[in-house]
Amino acid sequence: MSRVQTITIGPGDGDQRLDRWLKRHFPHLAQGRIEKMCRKGEIRVDGGRVKASTRLEVGQQVRIPPLPEPDAERAAPAAAPKPRVSDADTRLIQDAVLWKDDHIIALNKPPGLPVQGGSKTTRHVDGLSEALRFGLDEKPRLVHRLDKDTSGVLLLARTRAVAQALTAAIRHKQTRKIYWAVVAGVPTPYLGEIRYALVKALGHGSSGEGEKMICVHPRDVDRTEGAKRAHTLYATLYRVAGRASWVALEPITGRTHQLRAHMAEIGHPIIGDGKYGGSGQENLGDGWGAQLGGVISKKLHLHARSMTFEHPVTHKRVTVTAPLPEHMKHTWDTLGWTEDLAADDPFESLQ
């Protein structure tokens, strides 16, 4: 067994998960052992308890408890090998590539495909990205997320340095994301903003699709434990009588389920959103109910249409645009809309 060590996070090692940093420095450590040491408080960062998913920053000090020697760890039963990405999934994820260079890959994530794995999720973008190496040694890294049922632009970085730069840009609101959605009813005013804070509902899962968020009025944020401020811009582009509208959405903050919770809170849930809109209801013209009925798909109608960012290597402004998924294309065709009807920047008058 080794002795207790304290290691300072150096340049180039910041903004990465604790478990990934540990595996780089101690390759023989299994994920289960890392999580157990975190739960028991044996691994600490700047003296505090942490989770395996805690992100490290340059200058922080990590306390490492005595570790078994590599040979002892290897003597334990070997973990099952990671499944190979099937030929069908390889085609699916490679066909989803919208744009790439030596540093970044932009995908049009299919609806229904989770971005990351969980206890019961084995097929996800993070795993399938093994098929997106395209000649590089490193597997592309996720730099942000989309909900499982949301489609559209998803960026992956092809190196650690680019991942750090893009993650920082997103955190500091230096990127721009525009979503398209179909919502029940017609939001008024047609152009506006929503500033309800969000707090996780009790009794729902700790992360991912199990979560449900509750909106909190801005005046109540400071006295609501766990509430986080959230800000969304919306623009109503086209409508079908009073029943439904095509809206553009721009999340200024990036909270879990922000767009879905915000639109439901103002009485215009996104079509197909059972979690926030009441999946069994049809909208009868009063602005409520998350299904339109008839031939309109019951799938979620939320799509990350475009993302604009400064390229961390070339420093050029890049905009990536994703075409609609099939179920939303069908809805557009049914309602007589075409993708080219929307302005490139529907929020120009709000800038």
Side-chain angles (χ1 to χ4, degrees):
M1 298 283 282
S2 63
R3 292 180 296 181
V4 173
Q5 307 174 60
T6 300
I7 301 177
T8 301
I9 302 300
D13 271 349
D15 197 28
Q16 65 175 302
R17 287 170 54 118
L18 172 62
D19 51 2
R20 291 174 186 160
W21 178 85
L22 283 165
K23 286 177 183 176
R24 284 183 63 217
H25 288 78
F26 307 98
H28 62 288
L29 281 183
Q31 181 71 21
R33 180 177 287 275
I34 292 172
E35 292 177 1
K36 183 176 180 181
M37 290 190 293
C38 288
R39 284 196 302 272
K40 294 172 70 175
E42 295 174 344
I43 295 176
R44 292 181 176 252
V45 175
D46 287 345
R49 298 176 76 100
V50 287
K51 296 180 180 179
S53 60
T54 297
R55 298 197 84 83
L56 300 173
E57 301 295 340
V58 173
Q60 288 183 321
Q61 292 193 318
V62 183
R63 176 197 183 273
I64 312 291
L67 300 176
E69 298 302 324
D71 289 342
E73 193 79 4
R74 276 197 290 267
K82 289 185 178 179
R84 188 181 72 86
V85 180
S86 71
D87 291 343
D89 279 342
T90 295
R91 284 194 300 274
L92 177 138
I93 202 72
Q94 290 184 355
D95 286 348
V97 174
L98 291 167
W99 176 88
K100 70 179 174 70
D101 64 7
D102 290 341
H103 313 284
I104 298 168
I105 294 175
L107 298 180
N108 186 4
K109 186 189 84 65
L113 180 65
V115 170
Q116 289 181 298
S119 58
K120 296 180 181 178
T121 304
T122 56
R123 183 174 175 270
H124 45 79
V125 173
D126 194 29
L128 300 188
S129 66
E130 283 284 351
L132 296 174
R133 291 177 182 261
F134 296 121
L136 295 188
D137 291 337
E138 294 186 63
K139 186 185 88 166
R141 305 161 189 270
L142 295 165
V143 295
H144 64 115
R145 297 182 186 181
L146 292 175
D147 290 348
K148 173 185 173 183
D149 293 321
T150 303
S151 56
V153 179
L154 182 72
L155 297 187
L156 293 89
R158 303 188 72 184
T159 66
R160 180 179 301 281
V162 169
Q164 291 173 346
L166 286 174
T167 301
I170 291 168
R171 185 184 302 130
H172 297 122
K173 302 182 177 67
Q174 294 166 345
T175 62
R176 220 172 152 218
K177 302 175 195 171
I178 293 177
Y179 289 71
W180 283 357
V182 183
V183 303
V186 182
T188 51
Y190 292 156
L191 198 63
E193 53 188 335
I194 307 165
R195 289 183 175 271
Y196 286 100
L198 295 169
V199 64
K200 189 171 71 175
L202 294 176
H204 284 265
S206 59
S207 64
E209 291 304 303
E211 280 184 294
K212 183 169 183 178
M213 310 306 287
I214 294 174
C215 287
V216 177
H217 194 282
R219 66 170 173 260
D220 298 325
V221 175
D222 292 338
R223 57 176 180 266
T224 305
E225 185 178 356
K228 295 181 178 179
R229 295 186 185 276
H231 185 192
T232 299
L233 306 182
Y234 73 84
T236 308
L237 304 182
Y238 291 91
R239 59 196 179 96
V240 180
R243 292 201 65 205
S245 303
W246 168 8
V247 297
L249 301 166
E250 181 176 355
I252 305 303
T253 53
R255 308 300 183 196
T256 299
H257 297 177
Q258 176 177 318
L259 302 180
R260 296 162 62 184
H262 270 177
M263 293 313 294
E265 183 66 21
I266 66 168
H268 302 285
I270 295 172
I271 298 304
D273 192 349
K275 187 182 289 278
Y276 291 95
S279 60
Q281 293 178 276
E282 288 188 11
N283 171 35
L284 302 178
D286 57 359
W288 189 251
Q291 299 296 349
L292 289 179
V295 299
I296 302 298
S297 171
K298 294 183 181 295
K299 292 181 180 178
L300 183 69
H301 283 61
L302 179 60
H303 177 68
R305 171 64 175 179
S306 68
M307 188 165 179
T308 301
F309 57 95
E310 180 183 299
H311 195 292
V313 178
T314 67
H315 301 293
K316 291 181 179 177
R317 202 78 177 149
V318 177
T319 297
V320 181
T321 301
L324 292 170
E326 287 303 319
H327 74 281
M328 289 181 71
K329 276 185 198 169
H330 181 263
T331 297
W332 258 240
D333 290 343
T334 303
L335 300 180
W337 299 332
T338 56
E339 296 185 33
D340 60 2
L341 289 174
D344 288 340
D345 186 358
F347 301 100
E348 209 161 9
S349 61
L350 282 182
Q351 301 307 311

